[in-house]
DNA sequence: CCTATAGTGTGACCAAGTCACCAAAGTCTC
DNA sequence: GAGACTTTGGTGACTTGGTCACACTATAGG
């Protein structure tokens, strides 16, 4: 009973065998191509998704037509907030878009409720996922309110680059990630360039001075 | 079995009798004086609170020492986020303060988990509460990012005034509610005064032209 | 009364969002 | 390849909002 997708989720490894069986039987693995709308406001979700591969971008459309980036779901995480909706029979206000090709486990409402009743390990898994997401939202709010844009941009660039030294994103995309205007990104990147921290070309940013960016982030007590 | 506090929570009225009994036996009603710290970061919560009387203000302390107001829990609602922490064994990053004298039902972890296993009605109650809170947070983020301060202040004044025409709060308090500086509140209120919408005195704001405020809020597609 | 303190008012300045453009780099079509 | 169109990035002028410094005023407590 090892080698199933369950092993990929730390919180589920401790599930007793019979519950595992239920979970595997009662759910199915699905694939979605990049740029699919995974869920949308006004469309009541009927499954909880656990991501196996790819990333999903969750954002909120404002009344004014603009969008705020809320968070990104990575492989090994779950779209908990879909659950919120699923269980609360409430309409969702955020929408999710597959950023890459995605494979995920879809747990339908019925299976979910059965497992929540049956297994305390499963309950804990769900609540931990919630908790983490909510904490992230708190951090996001904090950032938006108190953190300077240059610090937030530096931090996000480092995050998006990962181990590489390049970020593939237009200024407009970066602006939407941080909930700010493209112009602000352009100006801030120009400043970073002046300081020798980045080189730019169309649609990409090369990090040529990570340490500068890192120092900036640290100096502000940032999260990364 | 009517006339207990359970009746005050819509989502719990449908609980079967045996579960009600468990809930009442396994929890207790507590009272807290105004300004008590209900929960704090770094102090792992051991009960879920359902508010019977009073209000609790939930805010997040920033690294930089300032605070962001997150939301207010009213009578008939629950401190769900405490739950997140409680169940996830994670440390909480927000803190809650009783704004008034408060009475609440405290459900310890053990009871909570038993009920979650036993009753689908209880599970739905919990998830609905979560869902509502998360949606509120989304709306908050949206407001912070896209809404003008004058609209937000007008909206908040109307909300705080309720059916009365007076708000008891200093400029500093209003500033902290909206995550902005006292000076901004002073200036905006001065503007509202010039337009004949409010009169001010020390520690209070009289709404003398609700319609003006309401028009401002509506004109921006506001939430109220 | 006098003084401390909490609450409020204001001006100068800076950071960031908005608006209106323009310029440069890629794409498509013929 | 030439020309038209689209996407992306750059820039200046202006507005809003946050920060800092400091002055003024009401009120509570001696």
């Amino acid at each position: 009973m090892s080698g199933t997708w369950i092993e990929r989720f730390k919180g589920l490894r401790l599930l007793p065998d019979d519950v595992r069986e239920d979970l595997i039987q009662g759910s199915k693995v699905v694939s979605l191509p990049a740029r699919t709308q995974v869920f949308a406001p006004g469309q009541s979700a009927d499954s909880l998704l656990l991501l196996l591969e790819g990333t999903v971008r969750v954002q909120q459309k404002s009344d004014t037509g603009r969008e705020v980036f809320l968070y990104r779901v990575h492989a090994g995480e779950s779209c908990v907030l879909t659950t919120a909706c699923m269980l609360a029979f409430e309409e969702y206000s955020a929408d999710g878009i597959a950023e890459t090709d995605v494979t995920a486990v879809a747990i339908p409402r019925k299976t979910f409720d059965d497992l929540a009743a049956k297994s305390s390990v499963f309950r804990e898994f769900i609540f931990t996922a919630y908790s983490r997401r909510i904490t992230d939202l708190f951090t996001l709010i904090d950032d938006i309110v108190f953190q300077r844009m240059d610090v937030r941009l530096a931090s996000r660039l480092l995050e998006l680059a990962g181990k590489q030294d390049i970020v593939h994103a237009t200024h407009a995309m970066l602006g939407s990630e941080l909930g700010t205007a493209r112009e602000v990104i352009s100006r801030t990147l120009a400043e970073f360039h002046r300081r020798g921290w980045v080189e730019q070309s169309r649609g990409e940013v090369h990090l040529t001075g990570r340490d500068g960016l890192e120092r900036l982030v640290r100096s502000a007590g940032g999260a990364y």
Side-chain angles (χ1 to χ4, degrees), chain A residues 38-170:
Chain A
V38 180
F39 48 88
Q43 158 205 334
S44 126
D46 59 348
S47 306
L48 166 64
L49 292 183
L50 306 184
L51 237 59
L52 297 175
E53 294 293 343
T55 59
V56 172
R57 171 194 166 96
V58 179
Q59 60 191 13
Q60 153 126 309
K61 272 224 181 61
S62 148
D63 304 335
T64 63
R66 288 182 46 184
E67 318 175 318
V68 213
F69 170 93
L70 293 172
Y71 57 86
R72 180 167 281 126
V73 183
H74 301 271
E77 299 177 345
S78 65
C79 276
V80 249
L81 302 186
T82 327
T83 329
C85 171
M86 176 169 94
L87 281 142
F89 301 88
E90 263 190 34
E91 309 248 292
Y92 211 32
S93 64
D95 50 356
I97 294 171
E99 290 189 306
T100 62
D101 290 350
V102 157
T103 58
V105 183
I107 307 180
R109 181 197 293 270
K110 172 87 175 66
T111 306
F112 180 93
D113 198 56
D114 289 351
L115 290 172
K118 205 172 190 177
S119 162
S120 71
V121 172
F122 187 76
R123 282 196 293 278
E124 195 177 317
F125 172 72
I126 294 301
F127 282 111
T128 305
Y130 260 97
S131 169
R132 200 153 295 147
R133 230 21 117 190
I134 289 171
T135 305
D136 284 359
L137 284 180
F138 286 176
T139 310
L140 174 62
I141 291 175
D142 208 275
D143 263 25
I144 292 174
V145 175
F146 297 119
Q147 203 68 281
R148 295 172 45 95
M149 270 312 311
D150 53 358
V151 176
R152 296 182 58 207
L153 178 56
S155 161
R156 188 57 63 99
L157 285 175
L158 290 168
E159 188 187 333
L160 291 172
K163 304 209 180 283
Q164 322 245 311
D165 272 337
I166 187 170
V167 174
H168 294 277
T170 66

